[in-house]
Amino acid sequence: MEVWTLIAGIAAGIFLFKGYDHIKNSEARENEKRIYQLVERSKDIIYYCETKPALRFRYLSPSIDSILGSGIQVRSMVNAQTSIELLHPDDRELLDRKLSGKLDYSQPIIQRWKDDEGNYKYFEEFATPIFKNGEMTAIQGVIRNIDEKMRLQEELIYKAHHDGLSGLYNRLYFENQSTELDEEENIPVALLLCDLDELKYYNDTHGHRTGDELIKETSKILRTLQSEELLIARIGGDEFAILIKNTDRYSPEEVKRSIQQKIANYNRYSKTIKIMLSVGIASSSTSLGKMNELYTSADQNMYEEKRRKKKSFS
């Protein structure tokens, strides 16, 4: 950060003193030229902006045009609000704190700006406030596009929370959500535990690829029910969990009937795979301290349904 802040300061100094007679030495002017070219060619956005008496850019590198769209640099130099208006609405408060000196400048500032095609891009900024007589009068910094970094970060987060085969949430995410409900959030909840009855048969008879297809097809059906208040996870080889966070909106019995209906419709037209799913339900008017008990009860009810099925077929 120190190196880039220094470059930003140099860029600002070049602009502020350019045209003055302070630098007479030809070698110094040549060094100034080389540094100026270095800053101008940087792919990062380098700026120096006065905050008082009025908001005004004294320097803004042309790289902003290549990232956000042609002409933004010139328009921003004329009117500093031009680039500010491109900021994501949710990041405006962050900008206000940055310009007023109410920010921890030792930390990177993550923000989103809109390009000329209407797409928001992620940026990481290192900024340094400039003070005069104890008052912040300007700010300088370097802003770097981090779309690729954010994409990779989101991908890692997704992989950490999702099951690779089914695309549903994984056991770790389900357990974290359950722990939060058990220890922090107190709401009426319900849990449906589901078990594929014939996965071992498909694996042993038709091979594991067919067994994987059974898991995928079942997951597609369950995913159609997913919402913010209805979390669906694959928690084992043939086990799925459905966590209902709003039992006023989602009745667990109705969710089970919906699953059974969707499976029946699927089996009616599928010529290769037939899905058989046992479902156990448990609910509670409170979640605090109840999640382990809820899981045990739903698990018992699920295996009881599985036993009833086997008994009816025998």
Side-chain angles (χ1 to χ4, degrees):
M1 182 186 75
E2 290 80 4
V3 174
W4 284 110
T5 302
L6 176 62
I7 290 177
I10 292 172
I14 289 170
F15 184 87
L16 290 172
F17 290 104
K18 193 173 179 63
Y20 283 75
D21 294 330
H22 290 72
I23 302 177
K24 299 294 186 181
N25 185 279
S26 60
E27 183 178 349
R29 286 198 297 271
E30 187 62 29
N31 287 337
E32 175 194 311
K33 181 179 178 181
R34 284 196 293 267
I35 295 172
Y36 187 79
Q37 289 175 343
L38 174 66
V39 172
E40 288 281 285
R41 292 171 183 171
S42 172
K43 293 182 179 180
D44 297 329
I45 301 170
I46 301 173
Y47 72 90
Y48 184 99
C49 183
E50 291 181 345
T51 56
K52 290 186 177 180
L55 195 67
R56 179 176 63 161
F57 282 107
R58 297 302 300 272
Y59 177 82
L60 181 63
S61 60
S63 54
I64 192 171
D65 283 2
S66 62
I67 299 174
L68 296 179
S70 178
I72 292 178
Q73 181 207 27
V74 173
R75 296 199 302 273
S76 297
M77 292 296 294
V78 174
N79 179 6
Q81 292 296 327
T82 298
S83 56
I84 291 175
E85 289 171 358
L86 299 176
L87 198 66
H88 194 285
D90 293 345
D91 297 333
R92 294 291 174 89
E93 182 183 353
L94 187 65
L95 173 68
D96 292 340
R97 288 193 283 125
K98 181 181 77 172
L99 296 178
S100 62
K102 300 176 181 178
L103 198 67
D104 182 0
Y105 296 99
S106 67
Q107 299 299 316
I109 304 167
I110 307 300
Q111 58 206 286
R112 292 157 291 180
W113 284 358
K114 185 168 61 176
D115 63 18
D116 56 357
E117 295 181 353
N119 302 313
Y120 280 103
K121 295 183 176 182
Y122 276 95
F123 293 87
E124 181 180 66
E125 175 182 359
F126 288 98
T128 302
I130 308 298
F131 291 90
K132 184 176 181 181
N133 297 326
E135 183 181 27
M136 179 177 163
T137 58
I139 189 167
Q140 64 183 21
V142 178
I143 303 173
R144 173 169 294 178
N145 178 246
I146 56 168
D147 275 346
E148 183 64 17
K149 176 182 176 181
M150 295 302 293
R151 186 190 67 78
L152 291 174
Q153 181 175 311
E154 289 173 358
E155 186 176 311
L156 288 174
I157 293 173
Y158 180 88
K159 288 181 177 179
H161 290 167
H162 289 79
D163 172 64
L165 180 62
S166 67
L168 299 172
Y169 286 115
N170 58 22
R171 187 180 189 94
L172 176 62
Y173 186 82
F174 167 76
E175 289 180 345
N176 288 341
Q177 292 291 306
S178 295
T179 299
E180 184 176 311
L181 290 170
D182 193 67
E183 299 177 356
E184 301 174 21
E185 188 176 3
N186 189 21
I187 58 173
V189 293
L191 181 63
L192 285 77
L193 290 183
C194 314
D195 186 89
L196 279 169
D197 298 330
E198 299 294 332
L199 180 60
K200 187 177 186 303
Y201 165 79
Y202 276 97
N203 284 335
D204 294 343
T205 307
H206 302 287
H208 284 274
R209 286 191 177 181
T210 304
D212 287 348
E213 284 303 310
L214 175 62
I215 293 171
K216 290 178 182 178
E217 292 302 305
T218 304
S219 300
K220 287 179 184 178
I221 291 173
L222 296 178
R223 196 181 299 119
T224 62
L225 302 171
Q226 181 106 320
S227 71
E228 289 185 6
E229 298 170 321
L230 203 154
L231 183 153
I232 304 175
R234 182 185 177 212
I235 59 173
D238 56 0
E239 290 183 288
F240 302 87
I242 301 174
L243 182 60
I244 301 176
K245 295 184 177 183
N246 186 348
T247 52
D248 292 333
R249 181 176 178 184
Y250 296 100
S251 161
E253 290 77 14
E254 289 180 2
V255 171
K256 180 177 179 178
R257 283 194 292 271
S258 179
I259 292 171
Q260 291 171 332
Q261 183 61 50
K262 289 175 182 291
I263 288 175
N265 289 338
Y266 175 88
N267 289 339
R268 187 176 298 116
Y269 297 102
S270 175
K271 297 180 179 179
T272 55
I273 292 175
K274 302 296 181 181
I275 299 173
M276 295 181 64
L277 197 69
S278 295
V279 182
I281 298 175
S283 59
S284 173
S285 60
T286 176
S287 60
L288 283 177
K290 292 289 187 178
M291 296 309 296
N292 288 336
E293 180 183 327
L294 205 64
Y295 186 96
T296 300
S297 180
D299 191 54
Q300 291 173 347
N301 292 334
M302 183 264 291
Y303 277 104
E304 180 60 32
E305 179 170 300
K306 189 181 287 285
R307 283 191 292 270
R308 286 199 301 269
K309 285 182 181 179
K310 287 182 179 180
K311 188 176 180 179
S312 65
F313 291 147
S314 60

